[in-house]
């Protein structure tokens, strides 16, 4: 049996997309990990199943590159919307279900604007800030993001004594370019490396910038893979609503993979 797939990317955050509306995809951790492997498989930061969901246009089920089902992925959500649009499931406006609840989005030829879940608060600290935008995120402001050791520092926080026992966290490093303009690099749990972009991460950075500097949206954010915009409405109690993540999402290629990948075992030494 061959599995037919589509490959999509949103500002360099790339995903294997599977149309699983009829079911049948083998939800094996090892198989998903093999598909996402950049040397032995297709190569991706994660895998997304597009499935049926009553009352919605579709359901998005997201797996990290380690093969485990993950929390909400913003760029993955935007890519899932583009995939559904390419499949003809909607024309401009769409509603779908994800692990953190319902989402809405709009699509045009250039970009996808995804409405994120409401955020209850931003926790401010001396060394870093923390918030959950569908996935947990630490945000650290630095003077020069290009010179920051994203992987070693990110890994030490992700597995550290504070967040390690809680399942880990994503870690973002943000540099202020000017008012309402950030550069961001992210260490993603589940990928266990720096990615070219993280949608929930840049959303977290924009909200933390409001909490720290009083910025109002939209906030322009540069990532390794391109540019994103985050808009939001801040309430007096420290919560956020009407949060929109906007940017490009594009199909890269499609193909099929053999069932043998289900049983592949990498032999690193």
């Amino acid at each position: 049996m061959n599995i037919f797939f589509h490959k999509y990317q949103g500002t360099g955050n790339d995903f294997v997309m599977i149309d699983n509306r009829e079911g049948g995809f083998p939800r094996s951790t090892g198989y998903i990990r093999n598909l996402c492997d950049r040397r032995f498989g297709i190569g991706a930061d994660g895998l997304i199943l597009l499935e049926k969901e009553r009352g919605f246009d579709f359901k998005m089920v997201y797996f990290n590159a380690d093969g485990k089902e993950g929390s909400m992925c913003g760029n993955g959500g935007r890519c899932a919307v583009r995939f559904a649009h390419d499949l003809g499931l909607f024309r401009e406006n769409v509603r779908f279900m994800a692990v953190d609840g319902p989402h809405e989005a709009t699509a045009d030829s250039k970009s996808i604007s995804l409405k994120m879940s409401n955020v209850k608060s931003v926790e401010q600290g001396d060394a870093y800030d923390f918030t959950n935008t569908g996935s947990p995120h630490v945000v650290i402001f630095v003077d020069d993001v290009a010179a920051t050791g994203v992987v070693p520092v990110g890994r030490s926080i992700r597995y550290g004594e504070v967040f390690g026992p809680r399942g880990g966290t994503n870690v973002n490093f943000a540099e202020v370019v000017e008012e309402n303009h950030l550069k961001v690099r992210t260490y993603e749990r589940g990928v266990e490396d720096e990615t070219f972009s993280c949608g929930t991460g840049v959303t977290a950075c924009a909200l933390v910038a409001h909490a720290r500097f009083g910025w109002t949206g939209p906030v322009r954010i540069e990532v390794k893979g391109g540019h994103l915009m985050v808009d939001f409405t801040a309430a007096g109690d420290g919560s956020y609503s009407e949060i929109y993540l906007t940017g490009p999402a594009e199909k890269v290629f499609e193909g099929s993979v053999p069932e043998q990948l289900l049983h592949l075992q990498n032999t690193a030494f």
Side-chain angles (χ1 to χ4, degrees):
M1 180 184 70
N2 286 349
I3 299 292
F4 194 75
F5 71 89
H6 303 255
K7 175 78 173 283
Y8 279 72
Q9 64 87 16
T11 52
N13 207 185
D14 57 345
F15 307 94
V16 174
M17 314 291 296
I18 306 288
D19 182 356
N20 198 43
R21 286 177 291 171
E22 300 304 318
F25 179 80
R27 295 194 185 194
S28 159
T29 298
Y31 185 47
I32 294 170
R33 185 173 60 245
N34 289 340
L35 290 176
C36 293
D37 192 287
R38 296 193 182 277
R39 292 172 177 82
F40 295 92
I42 300 165
D45 292 327
L47 180 143
I48 295 172
L49 301 180
L50 188 147
E51 300 184 336
K52 293 179 180 178
E53 179 76 6
R54 181 175 296 180
F56 294 85
D57 294 290
F58 66 90
K59 179 181 179 180
M60 165 189 166
V61 184
Y62 173 69
F63 297 86
N64 286 311
D66 62 6
K68 299 176 183 177
E69 191 166 349
S71 49
M72 180 57 185
C73 177
N75 286 329
R78 293 191 309 101
C79 286
V81 169
R82 178 63 74 197
F83 183 35
H85 188 263
D86 290 346
L87 291 173
L89 299 187
F90 72 100
R91 295 187 65 180
E92 294 180 2
N93 304 298
V94 66
R95 293 180 68 245
F96 69 94
M97 180 62 74
V99 66
D100 64 336
H103 288 267
E104 301 173 359
T106 57
D108 60 33
S109 61
K110 294 182 178 181
S111 67
I112 303 292
S113 184
L114 172 64
K115 187 176 183 181
M116 307 292 284
S117 295
N118 293 344
V119 172
K120 293 181 179 179
S121 64
V122 168
E123 301 173 21
Q124 291 185 265
D126 294 331
Y128 56 78
D129 298 334
F130 176 82
T131 190
N132 192 310
T133 55
S135 290
H137 283 278
V138 161
V139 177
I140 302 172
F141 281 91
V142 297
D143 294 330
D144 184 356
V145 74
T148 299
V150 171
V151 173
V153 179
R155 184 176 290 138
S156 69
I157 296 171
R158 184 260 194 266
Y159 288 104
E161 61 182 14
V162 175
F163 294 100
R166 294 158 55 179
T169 183
N170 304 282
V171 185
N172 305 270
F173 303 88
E175 174 188 340
V176 175
V177 179
E178 59 185 352
E179 186 172 354
N180 282 56
H181 184 181
L182 296 172
K183 289 183 179 179
V184 174
R185 295 173 65 189
T186 302
Y187 177 92
E188 283 201 55
R189 68 172 186 175
V191 179
E192 306 309 334
D193 203 349
E194 180 179 5
T195 55
F196 272 46
S197 176
C198 177
T200 53
V202 300
T203 301
C205 290
L207 302 186
V208 169
H210 169 268
R212 279 197 171 268
F213 313 129
W215 291 3
T216 56
V219 177
R220 178 189 177 197
I221 300 181
E222 295 180 46
V223 293
K224 275 193 168 183
H227 297 83
L228 292 161
M229 298 289 288
V230 178
D231 206 354
F232 55 86
T233 297
D237 62 357
S239 65
Y240 298 87
S241 62
E242 301 299 312
I243 305 168
Y244 287 90
L245 172 67
T246 303
E250 302 170 339
K251 182 175 180 176
V252 182
F253 60 88
E254 62 185 45
S256 62
V257 290
E259 189 180 13
Q260 289 94 294
L261 275 178
L262 183 62
H263 310 291
L264 177 70
Q265 292 185 351
N266 298 345
T267 56
F269 61 89

